């Protein structure tokens, strides 16, 4: 009794035959129960009501151990329990320790706790009993554990739906095993009744005397954010898939188109070949007729023969151009560069067109700043380029006007300019004339004959020779076509003699074909 007097002020209860027979005033005050609620109850039941833990056995209470119990309003109390055996019975003295560290020792943590922005739960360890939790934290639990009275004092596995076997259980085990805090920015939990949820989670162990005594968990529910992001990602994925599908279709379409173009080119080349053979026969027959019975023919017959000849040349020109452009499109332009005097070559080509120019009453002058210039050039292709430019210039230049061809070297290149004083090319048409079938006037009533292949073909020739072609033009004033060629020689495999003669014959034939479009 003596000792009871000395601890009179302390919270205590006295039990006899397992029944609570006395409760101190301070105990009643501390636990917020009424005397009547505690007196006469079974001591084991009372310990259960007060949720005394961890794992308390009233027969083996250790005075050094720190126990927890909960007030009527589920506030945790940390106590040491002292046992005194007196005449009145077994006395349990509850010596209250300072409250949980978090609330009183760390003001910042306390502010976080009461701020209710983070869900904060404090568990005892290693038994994982939820000792304290703010409203936010409790609201995360499924029903009925989202109420203080149903979760405080209970084990995490009981209050967290789906805990057993979950990755959340693994996190707990890891923290308790390693003693290190666990932080995760985006943790997916599937256990709750509402389905998949996402969390920013920190589980921090608190040690005392090298033992983990508590675990503090900080939680933010980021489910809405993550779902929103995932939805956006899903939408982006769908858009990307749609774009890829469109691209795939576009590629397929292009491939089909390319195949169709290839087939068309093959067809064109086949047809052109088929056209060329009879045209050559007709040509040879006309030549033979002129040669063998030229004298017997009347003037009228000769004129008709000339008409046939010119039109076979026109056909031949079209057929040749078609064949060349399909070859060029397939990347099969054969270039055969030889070292030639480009000044001489240019002059020869211009001379070959004089007859056509004079008949159309157009003059063609040649101006060169160089007397001789040997460069590596494919003379056949060069002829075609210059003849095409000249035939266009003559075609689109009215009577009495002049055409000037200039040749000069500048910055390591050779420049050939064909300048006319003709009808000119409108600004919006300037780009299309180098395209296949590109004509300024494609109506049947146009000023001159043609198919619009010439420039696109010679552009390919110029580029295959390592040069470039451009045009400047003003409607009503005239046009200047400029061809720029590399100023360099080539190493020839073998020097062919008599080339000039051969060139001469071919030039006449090529000119006749190239100029067959012009009706004089
Ligand atoms: P075509 O066989 O029709 O002459 P080209 O490809 O050689 O084909 O020329 C394409 C078009 O460019 C011509 O139809 C014409 O409209 C225009 N063009 C070419 N050269 C000239 C020029 N010197 N003056 C005016 N227009 C020209």
């Amino acid at each position: 009794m003596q000792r009871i007097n000395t601890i009179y002020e302390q919270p205590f209860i006295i039990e006899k035959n397992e029944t609570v027979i006395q409760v101190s005033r301070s105990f009643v005050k501390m636990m917020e129960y009424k005397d009547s609620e505690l007196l006469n109850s079974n001591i084991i039941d009372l310990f259960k009501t007060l949720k005394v833990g961890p794992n308390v056995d009233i027969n083996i209470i250790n005075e050094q151990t720190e126990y927890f119990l909960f007030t009527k309003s589920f506030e945790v109390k940390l106590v040491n329990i002292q046992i005194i055996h007196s005449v009145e019975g077994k006395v349990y003295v509850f010596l209250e320790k300072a409250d949980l560290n978090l609330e009183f020792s760390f003001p910042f943590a306390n502010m976080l706790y009461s701020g209710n922005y983070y869900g904060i739960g404090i568990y005892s360890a290693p038994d994982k009993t939820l000792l304290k939790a703010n409203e936010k934290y409790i609201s995360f639990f499924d029903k009925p554990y989202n109420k203080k009275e149903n979760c405080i004092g209970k084990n995490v596995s009981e209050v967290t739906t789906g805990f057993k076997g979950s990755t959340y259980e693994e996190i707990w085990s890891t923290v308790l095993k390693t003693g290190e805090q666990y932080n995760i920015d985006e943790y997916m939990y599937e256990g709750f009744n509402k389905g998949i949820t996402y969390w920013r989670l920190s589980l921090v162990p608190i040690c005392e005397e090298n033992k983990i005594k508590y675990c503090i968990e900080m939680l933010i529910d980021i489910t809405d954010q993550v779902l929103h992001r995932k939805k956006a990602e899903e939408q982006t994925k769908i858009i990307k898939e749609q774009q890829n599908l469109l691209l795939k279709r576009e590629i397929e379409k292009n491939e089909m188109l390319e195949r169709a173009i290839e087939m068309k080119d093959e067809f064109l080349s086949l047809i052109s070949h088929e056209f060329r053979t009879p045209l050559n026969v007709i040509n040879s027959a006309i030549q033979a007729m002129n040669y063998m019975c030229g004298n017997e023919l009347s003037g009228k017959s000769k004129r008709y023969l000339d008409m046939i000849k010119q039109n076979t040349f026109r056909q031949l020109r079209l057929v040749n151009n078609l064949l060349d452009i399909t070859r060029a499109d397939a990347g099969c332009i054969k270039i055969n560069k030889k070292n030639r005097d480009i000044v001489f070559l240019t002059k020869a080509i211009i001379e070959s067109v004089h007859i056509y120019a004079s008949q159309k009453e157009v003059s063609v002058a040649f101006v060169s700043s160089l007397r001789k210039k040997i460069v590596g050039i494919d003379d056949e292709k060069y002829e075609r380029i210059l003849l095409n430019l000249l035939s266009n210039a003559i075609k689109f230049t009215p009577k009495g006007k002049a055409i000037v061809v200039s040749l000069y070297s500048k910055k390591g290149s050779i420049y050939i300019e064909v300048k006319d004083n003709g009808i000119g090319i409108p600004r919006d048409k300037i780009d299309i004339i180098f395209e296949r079938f590109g004509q300024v006037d494609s109506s049947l009533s146009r000023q001159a004959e043609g198919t619009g292949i010439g420039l696109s073909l010679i552009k390919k020739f110029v580029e295959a020779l390592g040069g470039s072609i451009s045009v400047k033009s003003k409607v009503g004033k005239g046009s200047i076509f400029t061809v720029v060629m590399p100023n360099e020689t080539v190493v020839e495999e073998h020097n062919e003699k008599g080339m000039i003669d051969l060139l001469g014959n071919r030039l006449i034939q090529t000119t006749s074909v190239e100029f067959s479009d012009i009706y004089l």
Side-chain angles (χ1 to χ4, degrees):
M1 227 20 235
Q2 199 67 30
R3 279 188 68 189
I4 299 174
N5 281 339
T6 58
I7 51 128
Y8 189 70
E9 292 304 316
Q10 304 286 357
F12 68 84
I13 53 176
I14 306 176
E15 162 247 313
K16 194 163 194 173
N17 299 331
E18 297 202 348
T19 306
V20 178
I21 56 162
Q22 200 180 326
V23 187
S24 78
R25 212 173 269 284
S26 50
F27 186 76
V28 170
K29 199 174 163 212
M30 177 173 96
M31 300 312 288
E32 301 164 4
Y33 283 92
K34 289 183 191 144
D35 292 20
S36 54
E37 288 174 295
L38 305 172
L39 279 171
N40 297 324
S41 48
N42 178 289
I43 184 74
I44 297 172
D45 289 346
L46 180 64
F47 265 55
K48 271 191 192 151
T49 309
L50 303 177
K51 297 194 180 106
V52 185
N55 312 319
V56 73
D57 178 344
I58 55 161
N59 297 315
I60 1 176
I61 284 178
N62 184 341
E63 294 197 354
Q64 308 305 321
T65 305
E66 194 174 282
Y67 294 99
F68 56 76
L69 70 167
F70 296 88
T71 67
K72 201 174 180 186
S73 64
F74 301 97
E75 289 304 319
V76 69
K77 298 285 175 190
L78 296 175
V79 292
N80 287 124
I81 305 175
Q82 231 176 49
I83 306 288
I84 301 167
H85 293 280
S86 74
V87 281
E88 284 175 304
K90 191 175 171 187
V91 185
Y92 296 79
V93 187
F94 298 88
L95 302 167
E96 196 180 351
K97 298 183 78 182
D99 211 327
L100 267 181
N101 284 350
L102 175 83
E103 234 175 314
F104 292 98
S105 312
F106 304 108
F108 176 66
N110 190 28
M111 271 163 73
L112 279 182
Y113 183 90
S114 52
N116 217 30
Y117 174 74
Y118 297 98
I120 293 180
I122 305 160
Y123 291 84
S124 75
D127 57 297
K128 298 180 275 200
T129 305
L130 182 58
L131 301 179
K132 279 177 86 71
N134 64 2
E135 275 172 35
K136 186 71 155 205
Y137 190 86
I138 292 171
S139 74
F140 295 151
F141 292 128
D142 276 334
K143 270 185 191 165
Y145 303 106
N146 58 349
K147 289 214 164 67
K148 203 173 185 180
E149 59 270 31
N150 295 334
C151 63
I152 296 293
K154 296 215 168 119
N155 193 279
V156 67
S157 63
E158 192 183 340
V159 295
T160 317
T161 331
F163 181 84
K164 283 258 175 283
S166 69
T167 46
Y168 185 46
E169 187 179 24
E170 283 169 28
I171 294 173
W172 268 96
S173 308
T174 312
V175 170
L176 293 178
K177 215 185 288 164
T178 60
E180 281 171 17
Q181 59 174 280
Y182 192 99
N183 300 300
I184 180 161
D185 279 346
E186 192 178 310
Y187 170 65
M188 186 184 83
Y189 188 66
E190 291 177 287
F192 285 130
N193 291 339
K194 56 185 155 187
I196 295 176
T197 46
Y198 294 89
W199 305 90
R200 185 155 302 148
L201 177 157
S202 291
L203 193 58
V204 184
I206 307 267
C207 293
E208 271 178 25
E209 291 153 13
N210 279 336
K211 271 193 188 146
I212 304 174
K213 277 205 100 176
Y214 309 106
C215 268
I216 300 179
E217 187 178 46
M218 267 170 78
L219 279 181
I220 301 183
D221 184 353
I222 52 166
T223 308
D224 286 348
Q225 255 165 275
V226 174
L227 290 183
H228 194 267
R229 194 196 69 221
K230 284 197 183 289
K231 203 172 157 191
E233 281 169 0
E234 191 61 30
Q235 275 170 349
T236 321
K237 203 176 138 206
I238 291 173
I239 292 173
K240 264 219 168 106
E241 277 171 5
Q242 281 174 345
Q243 279 174 341
N244 284 343
L245 202 76
L246 277 177
L247 203 76
K248 205 176 139 208
R249 285 211 191 117
E250 196 63 22
I251 290 171
E252 280 171 3
K253 223 163 100 183
N254 280 350
E255 279 173 358
M256 267 169 65
L257 213 72
E258 267 170 33
R259 269 202 302 280
I261 290 174
E262 260 172 42
M263 274 168 66
K264 186 211 67 191
D265 281 353
E266 269 172 36
F267 173 75
L268 260 181
S269 132
L270 192 91
I271 280 286
S272 309
H273 267 295
E274 291 305 313
F275 269 123
R276 199 151 68 164
T277 320
L279 282 174
N280 282 333
V281 176
I282 298 170
N283 250 337
S284 312
I286 296 166
Q287 263 178 9
M289 229 163 144
N290 265 331
Y291 182 68
M292 290 193 290
C293 36
N295 296 337
E296 298 159 31
L297 295 173
S298 67
K300 216 172 181 179
S301 309
K302 271 189 182 162
R303 268 205 309 283
Y304 282 131
L305 218 54
D306 279 348
M307 264 169 71
I308 296 172
K309 192 170 153 193
Q310 186 180 10
N311 281 287
T312 45
F313 278 161
R314 280 192 66 204
Q315 288 293 80
L316 210 57
R317 177 178 184 256
L318 176 63
V319 164
N320 283 346
N321 280 351
L322 278 176
L323 267 176
D324 285 336
I325 199 106
T326 41
R327 265 190 222 131
D329 282 344
C332 302
I333 305 176
K334 269 201 198 124
I335 296 293
N336 183 20
K337 279 192 183 179
K338 298 258 154 41
N339 292 326
R340 296 273 176 266
D341 178 3
I342 195 166
V343 182
F344 173 81
L345 201 60
T346 311
K347 216 167 163 180
I349 296 167
I350 292 169
E351 272 164 17
S352 78
V353 309
H354 268 313
I355 176 164
Y356 299 94
S358 60
Q359 283 181 53
K360 223 199 141 182
E361 293 176 40
V362 172
S363 70
V364 183
F366 176 48
V367 184
S368 174
S369 64
L370 306 159
R371 293 193 64 196
K372 188 175 178 171
K373 183 75 206 168
I374 304 288
V375 287
I377 197 153
D378 182 324
D379 44 21
E380 199 188 323
K381 297 283 179 302
Y382 184 62
E383 269 165 41
R384 296 276 295 277
I385 295 164
L386 201 53
L387 283 175
N388 182 276
L389 294 179
L390 285 168
S391 83
N392 278 342
I394 294 172
K395 245 194 258 180
F396 298 104
T397 301
K399 255 188 192 175
K401 301 269 180 179
I403 294 164
V404 180
V405 180
S406 321
L407 194 151
Y408 54 91
S409 72
K410 197 172 93 180
K411 290 184 193 161
S413 298
I414 301 283
Y415 285 70
I416 303 105
E417 268 180 21
V418 179
K419 179 171 179 280
D420 65 55
N421 293 304
I423 61 171
I425 302 160
R427 195 184 283 256
D428 59 323
K429 293 281 167 35
I430 215 121
D431 289 329
I432 64 154
I433 59 167
F434 288 109
E435 283 168 20
R436 206 204 288 207
F437 310 121
Q439 289 182 310
V440 173
D441 178 6
S442 51
S443 67
L444 286 173
S445 57
R446 60 184 184 261
Q447 287 202 12
E449 296 292 331
T451 49
I453 301 179
L455 283 176
S456 76
L457 183 61
I458 67 160
K459 184 169 188 271
K460 287 189 197 299
F461 285 168
V462 172
E463 282 163 4
L465 287 170
S468 63
I469 183 166
S470 58
V471 62
K472 276 188 190 152
S473 189
K474 238 186 183 164
V475 175
K477 286 259 154 77
S479 316
I480 307 175
F481 284 83
T482 310
V483 176
V484 185
M485 290 288 192
N487 183 358
E488 59 197 16
T489 52
V490 289
V491 183
E492 285 183 28
E493 278 167 19
H494 41 195
N495 210 349
E496 288 166 69
K497 289 242 159 67
M499 196 60 202
I500 301 301
D501 281 350
L502 216 149
L503 171 84
N505 288 334
R506 194 191 57 225
L507 192 54
I508 296 167
Q509 170 86 359
T510 321
T511 312
S512 318
V513 172
E514 202 62 54
F515 278 72
S516 56
D517 264 356
I518 305 177
Y519 286 104
L520 300 161

